[in-house]
Amino acid sequence: MANSYAQAVLRTTDPAEALRVAGRLLDLADTTELEVDFEARVSTPGELDRLSGVMPDAQGWSYGADRHASSEGGDAPAECLPIHLRRWCMAPETVEEFVAAVGNVPAMVRWDFRGWPEAPEVGLGCGGSRGAYVTVCVNARDLDLEEPAPDHTLYVHVKQVEAERAPWLAAQVGLRVFGELEMAPL
């Protein structure tokens, strides 16, 4: 499992705005190999049904100190609530459908692509695929979906040794970074 480093660039109550700004960041990137990962923290059978429809064959695992179950272990997701669901390698065209299905569930959309552009103003060449992500946390303020919120946070991911790329990327879309650069397990 690899890690990237992420920094927040936008917090909004409008999920459509978060997706629009994510799109503007992706317009800067080399997206010739673009895929999207979804994750959600599901608590009720209704949420599970709704999200299973847009996350077919999602991996699931329970969370909490007293819960130890997973789809890999053959456990039925409905019997393991609350659970995290994760689906890798989704088509970019499925993002809006996923966000619509999320409702109030803490969830995440992460775009994975080939690399960031050259950033000569901060002395950086083109970035490779390691550390090149954009994430929107829906109804959450953290990348682990542990801090539910009434708003949505957009993060840019970079390599730790290229930390100055995060504020440069934010500036390219008229924003500023806030918070600390934080390790983001993938």
Side-chain angles (χ1 to χ4, degrees), residues 60-112:
W61 66 97
S62 59
Y63 63 90
D66 61 338
R67 314 266 321 157
H68 302 286
S70 72
S71 56
E72 289 181 0
D75 300 306
E79 295 177 15
C80 302
L81 294 173
I83 64 169
H84 279 275
L85 287 181
R86 179 181 290 154
R87 181 64 165 82
W88 299 88
C89 304
M90 297 294 289
E93 299 78 31
T94 61
V95 169
E96 288 185 18
E97 180 184 11
F98 173 73
V99 172
V102 161
N104 292 326
V105 171
M108 177 205 70
V109 177
R110 184 180 55 243
W111 290 265
D112 180 353

mmCIF file of all heavy atoms in Angstrom, residues 60-112:
data_model
loop_
_atom_site.group_PDB
_atom_site.id
_atom_site.type_symbol
_atom_site.label_atom_id
_atom_site.label_comp_id
_atom_site.label_asym_id
_atom_site.label_seq_id
_atom_site.Cartn_x
_atom_site.Cartn_y
_atom_site.Cartn_z
ATOM 1 N N GLY A 60 -16.013 -4.562 1.510
ATOM 2 C CA GLY A 60 -16.547 -3.989 2.731
ATOM 3 C C GLY A 60 -15.842 -4.534 3.950
ATOM 4 O O GLY A 60 -15.383 -5.667 3.952
ATOM 5 N N TRP A 61 -15.723 -3.705 4.967
ATOM 6 C CA TRP A 61 -15.183 -4.150 6.237
ATOM 7 C C TRP A 61 -15.836 -3.318 7.337
ATOM 8 O O TRP A 61 -16.140 -2.155 7.158
ATOM 9 C CB TRP A 61 -13.665 -4.059 6.280
ATOM 10 C CG TRP A 61 -13.108 -2.674 6.227
ATOM 11 C CD1 TRP A 61 -12.713 -1.909 7.284
ATOM 12 C CD2 TRP A 61 -12.896 -1.870 5.053
ATOM 13 N NE1 TRP A 61 -12.264 -0.680 6.850
ATOM 14 C CE2 TRP A 61 -12.372 -0.634 5.480
ATOM 15 C CE3 TRP A 61 -13.090 -2.073 3.695
ATOM 16 C CZ2 TRP A 61 -12.050 0.391 4.601
ATOM 17 C CZ3 TRP A 61 -12.775 -1.048 2.816
ATOM 18 C CH2 TRP A 61 -12.252 0.153 3.261
ATOM 19 N N SER A 62 -16.079 -3.974 8.462
ATOM 20 C CA SER A 62 -16.706 -3.279 9.580
ATOM 21 C C SER A 62 -15.686 -2.379 10.249
ATOM 22 O O SER A 62 -14.485 -2.570 10.117
ATOM 23 C CB SER A 62 -17.296 -4.278 10.563
ATOM 24 O OG SER A 62 -16.300 -5.140 11.042
ATOM 25 N N TYR A 63 -16.200 -1.403 10.950
ATOM 26 C CA TYR A 63 -15.300 -0.539 11.701
ATOM 27 C C TYR A 63 -15.806 -0.426 13.124
ATOM 28 O O TYR A 63 -16.955 -0.670 13.417
ATOM 29 C CB TYR A 63 -15.134 0.832 11.039
ATOM 30 C CG TYR A 63 -16.391 1.674 10.950
ATOM 31 C CD1 TYR A 63 -16.750 2.548 11.963
ATOM 32 C CD2 TYR A 63 -17.212 1.602 9.826
ATOM 33 C CE1 TYR A 63 -17.887 3.319 11.868
ATOM 34 C CE2 TYR A 63 -18.348 2.385 9.726
ATOM 35 C CZ TYR A 63 -18.677 3.237 10.757
ATOM 36 O OH TYR A 63 -19.805 4.009 10.659
ATOM 37 N N GLY A 64 -14.916 -0.104 14.009
ATOM 38 C CA GLY A 64 -15.229 -0.023 15.425
ATOM 39 C C GLY A 64 -14.436 -1.057 16.194
ATOM 40 O O GLY A 64 -14.068 -2.105 15.652
ATOM 41 N N ALA A 65 -14.190 -0.765 17.441
ATOM 42 C CA ALA A 65 -13.344 -1.635 18.269
ATOM 43 C C ALA A 65 -13.928 -3.033 18.448
ATOM 44 O O ALA A 65 -13.190 -3.996 18.589
ATOM 45 C CB ALA A 65 -13.116 -0.983 19.629
ATOM 46 N N ASP A 66 -15.240 -3.149 18.448
ATOM 47 C CA ASP A 66 -15.869 -4.444 18.695
ATOM 48 C C ASP A 66 -16.351 -5.136 17.429
ATOM 49 O O ASP A 66 -17.073 -6.114 17.480
ATOM 50 C CB ASP A 66 -17.041 -4.276 19.666
ATOM 51 C CG ASP A 66 -18.119 -3.350 19.101
ATOM 52 O OD1 ASP A 66 -17.799 -2.543 18.209
ATOM 53 O OD2 ASP A 66 -19.263 -3.448 19.556
ATOM 54 N N ARG A 67 -15.944 -4.653 16.252
ATOM 55 C CA ARG A 67 -16.431 -5.202 14.986
ATOM 56 C C ARG A 67 -15.257 -5.721 14.175
ATOM 57 O O ARG A 67 -14.303 -5.004 13.948
ATOM 58 C CB ARG A 67 -17.153 -4.132 14.176
ATOM 59 C CG ARG A 67 -18.139 -3.296 14.945
ATOM 60 C CD ARG A 67 -19.545 -3.714 14.938
ATOM 61 N NE ARG A 67 -20.000 -4.208 13.663
ATOM 62 C CZ ARG A 67 -21.036 -5.008 13.563
ATOM 63 N NH1 ARG A 67 -21.680 -5.383 14.625
ATOM 64 N NH2 ARG A 67 -21.438 -5.429 12.393
ATOM 65 N N HIS A 68 -15.344 -6.946 13.713
ATOM 66 C CA HIS A 68 -14.282 -7.526 12.897
ATOM 67 C C HIS A 68 -14.915 -8.406 11.830
ATOM 68 O O HIS A 68 -15.097 -9.602 12.031
ATOM 69 C CB HIS A 68 -13.308 -8.340 13.754
ATOM 70 C CG HIS A 68 -12.682 -7.543 14.845
ATOM 71 N ND1 HIS A 68 -11.711 -6.614 14.621
ATOM 72 C CD2 HIS A 68 -12.927 -7.512 16.177
ATOM 73 C CE1 HIS A 68 -11.363 -6.045 15.758
ATOM 74 N NE2 HIS A 68 -12.091 -6.577 16.721
ATOM 75 N N ALA A 69 -15.263 -7.815 10.716
ATOM 76 C CA ALA A 69 -15.872 -8.559 9.617
ATOM 77 C C ALA A 69 -15.460 -7.900 8.311
ATOM 78 O O ALA A 69 -15.151 -6.716 8.269
ATOM 79 C CB ALA A 69 -17.393 -8.567 9.747
ATOM 80 N N SER A 70 -15.459 -8.693 7.230
ATOM 81 C CA SER A 70 -15.111 -8.132 5.924
ATOM 82 C C SER A 70 -15.701 -8.980 4.814
ATOM 83 O O SER A 70 -16.002 -10.157 5.003
ATOM 84 C CB SER A 70 -13.591 -8.060 5.752
ATOM 85 O OG SER A 70 -13.054 -9.348 5.568
ATOM 86 N N SER A 71 -15.814 -8.364 3.650
ATOM 87 C CA SER A 71 -16.290 -9.100 2.482
ATOM 88 C C SER A 71 -15.281 -10.165 2.087
ATOM 89 O O SER A 71 -15.651 -11.228 1.599
ATOM 90 C CB SER A 71 -16.570 -8.146 1.319
ATOM 91 O OG SER A 71 -15.424 -7.384 1.017
ATOM 92 N N GLU A 72 -13.994 -9.906 2.298
ATOM 93 C CA GLU A 72 -12.967 -10.892 1.984
ATOM 94 C C GLU A 72 -13.110 -12.141 2.854
ATOM 95 O O GLU A 72 -12.750 -13.236 2.442
ATOM 96 C CB GLU A 72 -11.571 -10.289 2.143
ATOM 97 C CG GLU A 72 -11.233 -9.282 1.077
ATOM 98 C CD GLU A 72 -9.841 -8.705 1.244
ATOM 99 O OE1 GLU A 72 -9.124 -9.084 2.192
ATOM 100 O OE2 GLU A 72 -9.471 -7.865 0.412
ATOM 101 N N GLY A 73 -13.646 -11.967 4.061
ATOM 102 C CA GLY A 73 -13.865 -13.098 4.958
ATOM 103 C C GLY A 73 -15.191 -13.791 4.718
ATOM 104 O O GLY A 73 -15.553 -14.713 5.440
ATOM 105 N N GLY A 74 -15.935 -13.338 3.700
ATOM 106 C CA GLY A 74 -17.209 -13.944 3.363
ATOM 107 C C GLY A 74 -18.382 -13.421 4.166
ATOM 108 O O GLY A 74 -19.495 -13.940 4.057
ATOM 109 N N ASP A 75 -18.164 -12.389 4.970
ATOM 110 C CA ASP A 75 -19.242 -11.829 5.777
ATOM 111 C C ASP A 75 -20.197 -11.017 4.906
ATOM 112 O O ASP A 75 -19.767 -10.287 4.011
ATOM 113 C CB ASP A 75 -18.663 -10.940 6.879
ATOM 114 C CG ASP A 75 -17.739 -11.710 7.813
ATOM 115 O OD1 ASP A 75 -18.184 -12.734 8.343
ATOM 116 O OD2 ASP A 75 -16.588 -11.274 7.984
ATOM 117 N N ALA A 76 -21.483 -11.129 5.161
ATOM 118 C CA ALA A 76 -22.497 -10.365 4.433
ATOM 119 C C ALA A 76 -22.482 -8.925 4.938
ATOM 120 O O ALA A 76 -22.592 -8.692 6.144
ATOM 121 C CB ALA A 76 -23.875 -10.975 4.636
ATOM 122 N N PRO A 77 -22.340 -7.951 4.029
ATOM 123 C CA PRO A 77 -22.258 -6.550 4.455
ATOM 124 C C PRO A 77 -23.428 -6.110 5.343
ATOM 125 O O PRO A 77 -23.226 -5.395 6.315
ATOM 126 C CB PRO A 77 -22.246 -5.772 3.144
ATOM 127 C CG PRO A 77 -21.695 -6.729 2.148
ATOM 128 C CD PRO A 77 -22.180 -8.086 2.592
ATOM 129 N N ALA A 78 -24.636 -6.539 5.033
ATOM 130 C CA ALA A 78 -25.805 -6.109 5.804
ATOM 131 C C ALA A 78 -25.750 -6.599 7.254
ATOM 132 O O ALA A 78 -26.382 -6.004 8.123
ATOM 133 C CB ALA A 78 -27.087 -6.604 5.131
ATOM 134 N N GLU A 79 -24.987 -7.648 7.511
ATOM 135 C CA GLU A 79 -24.886 -8.170 8.869
ATOM 136 C C GLU A 79 -23.693 -7.604 9.627
ATOM 137 O O GLU A 79 -23.456 -7.987 10.778
ATOM 138 C CB GLU A 79 -24.821 -9.696 8.816
ATOM 139 C CG GLU A 79 -26.108 -10.293 8.267
ATOM 140 C CD GLU A 79 -26.047 -11.798 8.136
ATOM 141 O OE1 GLU A 79 -25.142 -12.420 8.717
ATOM 142 O OE2 GLU A 79 -26.910 -12.339 7.428
ATOM 143 N N CYS A 80 -22.954 -6.694 8.985
ATOM 144 C CA CYS A 80 -21.740 -6.151 9.585
ATOM 145 C C CYS A 80 -21.820 -4.646 9.822
ATOM 146 O O CYS A 80 -20.805 -4.013 10.062
ATOM 147 C CB CYS A 80 -20.551 -6.433 8.671
ATOM 148 S SG CYS A 80 -20.294 -8.167 8.325
ATOM 149 N N LEU A 81 -22.998 -4.067 9.715
ATOM 150 C CA LEU A 81 -23.126 -2.616 9.845
ATOM 151 C C LEU A 81 -22.716 -2.167 11.240
ATOM 152 O O LEU A 81 -22.981 -2.871 12.208
ATOM 153 C CB LEU A 81 -24.566 -2.203 9.553
ATOM 154 C CG LEU A 81 -25.018 -2.430 8.113
ATOM 155 C CD1 LEU A 81 -26.506 -2.148 7.977
ATOM 156 C CD2 LEU A 81 -24.235 -1.588 7.134
ATOM 157 N N PRO A 82 -22.059 -1.033 11.347
ATOM 158 C CA PRO A 82 -21.635 -0.131 10.277
ATOM 159 C C PRO A 82 -20.384 -0.654 9.563
ATOM 160 O O PRO A 82 -19.567 -1.335 10.176
ATOM 161 C CB PRO A 82 -21.340 1.174 10.997
ATOM 162 C CG PRO A 82 -20.986 0.763 12.390
ATOM 163 C CD PRO A 82 -21.742 -0.506 12.664
ATOM 164 N N ILE A 83 -20.247 -0.316 8.292
ATOM 165 C CA ILE A 83 -19.111 -0.777 7.492
ATOM 166 C C ILE A 83 -18.576 0.339 6.604
ATOM 167 O O ILE A 83 -19.265 1.315 6.324
ATOM 168 C CB ILE A 83 -19.466 -1.985 6.597
ATOM 169 C CG1 ILE A 83 -20.526 -1.609 5.561
ATOM 170 C CG2 ILE A 83 -19.881 -3.182 7.414
ATOM 171 C CD1 ILE A 83 -20.733 -2.659 4.485
ATOM 172 N N HIS A 84 -17.355 0.141 6.171
ATOM 173 C CA HIS A 84 -16.771 0.949 5.099
ATOM 174 C C HIS A 84 -16.943 0.147 3.820
ATOM 175 O O HIS A 84 -16.702 -1.064 3.815
ATOM 176 C CB HIS A 84 -15.263 1.173 5.319
ATOM 177 C CG HIS A 84 -14.938 2.255 6.264
ATOM 178 N ND1 HIS A 84 -14.861 3.563 5.892
ATOM 179 C CD2 HIS A 84 -14.664 2.223 7.588
ATOM 180 C CE1 HIS A 84 -14.545 4.302 6.946
ATOM 181 N NE2 HIS A 84 -14.421 3.503 7.989
ATOM 182 N N LEU A 85 -17.356 0.809 2.762
ATOM 183 C CA LEU A 85 -17.391 0.191 1.435
ATOM 184 C C LEU A 85 -16.362 0.886 0.571
ATOM 185 O O LEU A 85 -16.234 2.116 0.615
ATOM 186 C CB LEU A 85 -18.763 0.375 0.782
ATOM 187 C CG LEU A 85 -19.932 -0.430 1.293
ATOM 188 C CD1 LEU A 85 -21.180 -0.093 0.489
ATOM 189 C CD2 LEU A 85 -19.650 -1.915 1.217
ATOM 190 N N ARG A 86 -15.648 0.113 -0.234
ATOM 191 C CA ARG A 86 -14.662 0.693 -1.157
ATOM 192 C C ARG A 86 -14.780 -0.010 -2.500
ATOM 193 O O ARG A 86 -14.861 -1.237 -2.578
ATOM 194 C CB ARG A 86 -13.254 0.516 -0.632
ATOM 195 C CG ARG A 86 -12.212 1.095 -1.617
ATOM 196 C CD ARG A 86 -10.806 0.911 -1.143
ATOM 197 N NE ARG A 86 -10.565 1.767 0.002
ATOM 198 C CZ ARG A 86 -9.648 1.524 0.946
ATOM 199 N NH1 ARG A 86 -8.899 0.447 0.876
ATOM 200 N NH2 ARG A 86 -9.476 2.342 1.950
ATOM 201 N N ARG A 87 -14.747 0.789 -3.547
ATOM 202 C CA ARG A 87 -14.758 0.252 -4.914
ATOM 203 C C ARG A 87 -13.690 0.988 -5.697
ATOM 204 O O ARG A 87 -13.714 2.207 -5.812
ATOM 205 C CB ARG A 87 -16.138 0.443 -5.544
ATOM 206 C CG ARG A 87 -16.269 -0.097 -6.959
ATOM 207 C CD ARG A 87 -16.088 -1.632 -6.984
ATOM 208 N NE ARG A 87 -16.542 -2.211 -8.221
ATOM 209 C CZ ARG A 87 -15.829 -2.250 -9.341
ATOM 210 N NH1 ARG A 87 -14.634 -1.730 -9.391
ATOM 211 N NH2 ARG A 87 -16.329 -2.817 -10.420
ATOM 212 N N TRP A 88 -12.732 0.238 -6.227
ATOM 213 C CA TRP A 88 -11.602 0.782 -6.979
ATOM 214 C C TRP A 88 -11.930 0.809 -8.466
ATOM 215 O O TRP A 88 -12.751 0.043 -8.958
ATOM 216 C CB TRP A 88 -10.366 -0.099 -6.793
ATOM 217 C CG TRP A 88 -9.885 -0.230 -5.390
ATOM 218 C CD1 TRP A 88 -10.290 -1.149 -4.476
ATOM 219 C CD2 TRP A 88 -8.923 0.576 -4.736
ATOM 220 N NE1 TRP A 88 -9.626 -0.962 -3.295
ATOM 221 C CE2 TRP A 88 -8.778 0.089 -3.422
ATOM 222 C CE3 TRP A 88 -8.167 1.675 -5.137
ATOM 223 C CZ2 TRP A 88 -7.906 0.657 -2.501
ATOM 224 C CZ3 TRP A 88 -7.293 2.232 -4.219
ATOM 225 C CH2 TRP A 88 -7.166 1.726 -2.921
ATOM 226 N N CYS A 89 -11.231 1.633 -9.199
ATOM 227 C CA CYS A 89 -11.192 1.633 -10.668
ATOM 228 C C CYS A 89 -12.558 1.829 -11.319
ATOM 229 O O CYS A 89 -12.903 1.143 -12.283
ATOM 230 C CB CYS A 89 -10.551 0.345 -11.184
ATOM 231 S SG CYS A 89 -8.907 0.045 -10.540
ATOM 232 N N MET A 90 -13.320 2.764 -10.838
ATOM 233 C CA MET A 90 -14.602 3.088 -11.449
ATOM 234 C C MET A 90 -14.370 4.077 -12.601
ATOM 235 O O MET A 90 -13.376 4.793 -12.630
ATOM 236 C CB MET A 90 -15.548 3.701 -10.417
ATOM 237 C CG MET A 90 -15.907 2.754 -9.274
ATOM 238 S SD MET A 90 -16.872 1.335 -9.773
ATOM 239 C CE MET A 90 -18.429 2.103 -10.146
ATOM 240 N N ALA A 91 -15.308 4.113 -13.515
ATOM 241 C CA ALA A 91 -15.224 5.044 -14.636
ATOM 242 C C ALA A 91 -15.513 6.461 -14.144
ATOM 243 O O ALA A 91 -16.386 6.656 -13.293
ATOM 244 C CB ALA A 91 -16.227 4.654 -15.713
ATOM 245 N N PRO A 92 -14.804 7.453 -14.663
ATOM 246 C CA PRO A 92 -15.048 8.839 -14.248
ATOM 247 C C PRO A 92 -16.505 9.283 -14.438
ATOM 248 O O PRO A 92 -16.999 10.116 -13.682
ATOM 249 C CB PRO A 92 -14.102 9.653 -15.134
ATOM 250 C CG PRO A 92 -13.014 8.688 -15.487
ATOM 251 C CD PRO A 92 -13.671 7.345 -15.585
ATOM 252 N N GLU A 93 -17.191 8.702 -15.390
ATOM 253 C CA GLU A 93 -18.577 9.085 -15.666
ATOM 254 C C GLU A 93 -19.531 8.686 -14.539
ATOM 255 O O GLU A 93 -20.681 9.112 -14.517
ATOM 256 C CB GLU A 93 -19.069 8.447 -16.970
ATOM 257 C CG GLU A 93 -18.293 8.843 -18.202
ATOM 258 C CD GLU A 93 -16.943 8.120 -18.351
ATOM 259 O OE1 GLU A 93 -16.800 6.951 -17.917
ATOM 260 O OE2 GLU A 93 -16.016 8.755 -18.886
ATOM 261 N N THR A 94 -19.080 7.880 -13.591
ATOM 262 C CA THR A 94 -19.951 7.406 -12.509
ATOM 263 C C THR A 94 -19.910 8.299 -11.265
ATOM 264 O O THR A 94 -20.659 8.054 -10.317
ATOM 265 C CB THR A 94 -19.581 5.964 -12.115
ATOM 266 O OG1 THR A 94 -18.218 5.940 -11.648
ATOM 267 C CG2 THR A 94 -19.747 5.000 -13.281
ATOM 268 N N VAL A 95 -19.077 9.319 -11.271
ATOM 269 C CA VAL A 95 -18.888 10.146 -10.078
ATOM 270 C C VAL A 95 -20.178 10.842 -9.652
ATOM 271 O O VAL A 95 -20.568 10.787 -8.483
ATOM 272 C CB VAL A 95 -17.760 11.180 -10.292
ATOM 273 C CG1 VAL A 95 -17.734 12.211 -9.173
ATOM 274 C CG2 VAL A 95 -16.417 10.481 -10.407
ATOM 275 N N GLU A 96 -20.857 11.512 -10.558
ATOM 276 C CA GLU A 96 -22.060 12.256 -10.180
ATOM 277 C C GLU A 96 -23.143 11.328 -9.651
ATOM 278 O O GLU A 96 -23.841 11.663 -8.681
ATOM 279 C CB GLU A 96 -22.562 13.099 -11.336
ATOM 280 C CG GLU A 96 -21.657 14.290 -11.596
ATOM 281 C CD GLU A 96 -22.181 15.225 -12.672
ATOM 282 O OE1 GLU A 96 -23.383 15.185 -12.999
ATOM 283 O OE2 GLU A 96 -21.360 16.010 -13.180
ATOM 284 N N GLU A 97 -23.289 10.152 -10.250
ATOM 285 C CA GLU A 97 -24.264 9.173 -9.766
ATOM 286 C C GLU A 97 -23.914 8.727 -8.344
ATOM 287 O O GLU A 97 -24.783 8.610 -7.482
ATOM 288 C CB GLU A 97 -24.317 7.975 -10.709
ATOM 289 C CG GLU A 97 -25.298 6.909 -10.288
ATOM 290 C CD GLU A 97 -25.269 5.686 -11.191
ATOM 291 O OE1 GLU A 97 -24.352 5.543 -12.028
ATOM 292 O OE2 GLU A 97 -26.182 4.859 -11.038
ATOM 293 N N PHE A 98 -22.635 8.491 -8.093
ATOM 294 C CA PHE A 98 -22.197 8.104 -6.757
ATOM 295 C C PHE A 98 -22.496 9.206 -5.740
ATOM 296 O O PHE A 98 -23.087 8.949 -4.691
ATOM 297 C CB PHE A 98 -20.698 7.771 -6.759
ATOM 298 C CG PHE A 98 -20.128 7.530 -5.386
ATOM 299 C CD1 PHE A 98 -20.420 6.367 -4.694
ATOM 300 C CD2 PHE A 98 -19.305 8.468 -4.785
ATOM 301 C CE1 PHE A 98 -19.901 6.134 -3.423
ATOM 302 C CE2 PHE A 98 -18.780 8.248 -3.519
ATOM 303 C CZ PHE A 98 -19.079 7.077 -2.835
ATOM 304 N N VAL A 99 -22.112 10.432 -6.055
ATOM 305 C CA VAL A 99 -22.328 11.545 -5.123
ATOM 306 C C VAL A 99 -23.817 11.745 -4.861
ATOM 307 O O VAL A 99 -24.226 11.997 -3.727
ATOM 308 C CB VAL A 99 -21.637 12.829 -5.616
ATOM 309 C CG1 VAL A 99 -22.019 14.035 -4.772
ATOM 310 C CG2 VAL A 99 -20.112 12.637 -5.599
ATOM 311 N N ALA A 100 -24.644 11.583 -5.874
ATOM 312 C CA ALA A 100 -26.098 11.696 -5.682
ATOM 313 C C ALA A 100 -26.615 10.598 -4.758
ATOM 314 O O ALA A 100 -27.494 10.835 -3.926
ATOM 315 C CB ALA A 100 -26.818 11.645 -7.022
ATOM 316 N N ALA A 101 -26.061 9.397 -4.869
ATOM 317 C CA ALA A 101 -26.510 8.273 -4.041
ATOM 318 C C ALA A 101 -26.029 8.380 -2.600
ATOM 319 O O ALA A 101 -26.625 7.795 -1.697
ATOM 320 C CB ALA A 101 -26.031 6.955 -4.648
ATOM 321 N N VAL A 102 -24.974 9.127 -2.370
ATOM 322 C CA VAL A 102 -24.375 9.245 -1.047
ATOM 323 C C VAL A 102 -25.352 9.820 -0.024
ATOM 324 O O VAL A 102 -25.383 9.373 1.121
ATOM 325 C CB VAL A 102 -23.080 10.097 -1.129
ATOM 326 C CG1 VAL A 102 -22.668 10.624 0.216
ATOM 327 C CG2 VAL A 102 -21.966 9.295 -1.766
ATOM 328 N N GLY A 103 -26.139 10.818 -0.412
ATOM 329 C CA GLY A 103 -27.016 11.463 0.570
ATOM 330 C C GLY A 103 -26.190 12.101 1.662
ATOM 331 O O GLY A 103 -25.287 12.881 1.386
ATOM 332 N N ASN A 104 -26.446 11.727 2.929
ATOM 333 C CA ASN A 104 -25.706 12.282 4.068
ATOM 334 C C ASN A 104 -24.582 11.389 4.563
ATOM 335 O O ASN A 104 -23.989 11.648 5.598
ATOM 336 C CB ASN A 104 -26.673 12.559 5.229
ATOM 337 C CG ASN A 104 -27.624 13.675 4.893
ATOM 338 O OD1 ASN A 104 -27.269 14.620 4.195
ATOM 339 N ND2 ASN A 104 -28.857 13.567 5.362
ATOM 340 N N VAL A 105 -24.278 10.336 3.828
ATOM 341 C CA VAL A 105 -23.244 9.381 4.223
ATOM 342 C C VAL A 105 -21.857 10.009 4.044
ATOM 343 O O VAL A 105 -21.584 10.607 3.010
ATOM 344 C CB VAL A 105 -23.355 8.104 3.353
ATOM 345 C CG1 VAL A 105 -22.183 7.172 3.576
ATOM 346 C CG2 VAL A 105 -24.672 7.401 3.612
ATOM 347 N N PRO A 106 -20.960 9.883 5.014
ATOM 348 C CA PRO A 106 -19.576 10.300 4.790
ATOM 349 C C PRO A 106 -18.973 9.429 3.681
ATOM 350 O O PRO A 106 -19.020 8.197 3.758
ATOM 351 C CB PRO A 106 -18.884 10.051 6.135
ATOM 352 C CG PRO A 106 -19.998 10.046 7.136
ATOM 353 C CD PRO A 106 -21.175 9.458 6.404
ATOM 354 N N ALA A 107 -18.446 10.078 2.651
ATOM 355 C CA ALA A 107 -17.949 9.338 1.491
ATOM 356 C C ALA A 107 -16.782 10.079 0.857
ATOM 357 O O ALA A 107 -16.524 11.247 1.166
ATOM 358 C CB ALA A 107 -19.074 9.146 0.478
ATOM 359 N N MET A 108 -16.105 9.373 -0.051
ATOM 360 C CA MET A 108 -14.943 9.938 -0.704
ATOM 361 C C MET A 108 -14.907 9.525 -2.175
ATOM 362 O O MET A 108 -15.247 8.393 -2.504
ATOM 363 C CB MET A 108 -13.691 9.417 -0.010
ATOM 364 C CG MET A 108 -12.405 9.873 -0.629
ATOM 365 S SD MET A 108 -11.062 8.716 -0.281
ATOM 366 C CE MET A 108 -11.529 7.332 -1.265
ATOM 367 N N VAL A 109 -14.515 10.480 -3.009
ATOM 368 C CA VAL A 109 -14.224 10.217 -4.414
ATOM 369 C C VAL A 109 -12.764 10.590 -4.618
ATOM 370 O O VAL A 109 -12.356 11.695 -4.275
ATOM 371 C CB VAL A 109 -15.099 11.082 -5.353
ATOM 372 C CG1 VAL A 109 -14.728 10.847 -6.805
ATOM 373 C CG2 VAL A 109 -16.574 10.842 -5.106
ATOM 374 N N ARG A 110 -11.967 9.660 -5.147
ATOM 375 C CA ARG A 110 -10.551 9.953 -5.401
ATOM 376 C C ARG A 110 -10.237 9.647 -6.857
ATOM 377 O O ARG A 110 -10.427 8.535 -7.329
ATOM 378 C CB ARG A 110 -9.638 9.132 -4.495
ATOM 379 C CG ARG A 110 -8.160 9.500 -4.697
ATOM 380 C CD ARG A 110 -7.202 8.706 -3.830
ATOM 381 N NE ARG A 110 -7.380 7.286 -4.011
ATOM 382 C CZ ARG A 110 -7.771 6.446 -3.038
ATOM 383 N NH1 ARG A 110 -8.011 6.888 -1.824
ATOM 384 N NH2 ARG A 110 -7.906 5.174 -3.277
ATOM 385 N N TRP A 111 -9.747 10.660 -7.564
ATOM 386 C CA TRP A 111 -9.326 10.498 -8.951
ATOM 387 C C TRP A 111 -7.840 10.164 -8.952
ATOM 388 O O TRP A 111 -7.033 10.841 -8.328
ATOM 389 C CB TRP A 111 -9.546 11.785 -9.724
ATOM 390 C CG TRP A 111 -10.972 12.125 -9.973
ATOM 391 C CD1 TRP A 111 -11.704 11.838 -11.090
ATOM 392 C CD2 TRP A 111 -11.856 12.852 -9.110
ATOM 393 N NE1 TRP A 111 -12.984 12.336 -10.965
ATOM 394 C CE2 TRP A 111 -13.102 12.953 -9.757
ATOM 395 C CE3 TRP A 111 -11.724 13.416 -7.840
ATOM 396 C CZ2 TRP A 111 -14.195 13.609 -9.192
ATOM 397 C CZ3 TRP A 111 -12.803 14.062 -7.270
ATOM 398 C CH2 TRP A 111 -14.016 14.147 -7.946
ATOM 399 N N ASP A 112 -7.483 9.145 -9.672
ATOM 400 C CA ASP A 112 -6.117 8.645 -9.793
ATOM 401 C C ASP A 112 -5.730 8.823 -11.259
ATOM 402 O O ASP A 112 -6.462 8.388 -12.152
ATOM 403 C CB ASP A 112 -6.127 7.173 -9.391
ATOM 404 C CG ASP A 112 -4.774 6.504 -9.457
ATOM 405 O OD1 ASP A 112 -3.806 7.122 -9.936
ATOM 406 O OD2 ASP A 112 -4.692 5.338 -9.052
#
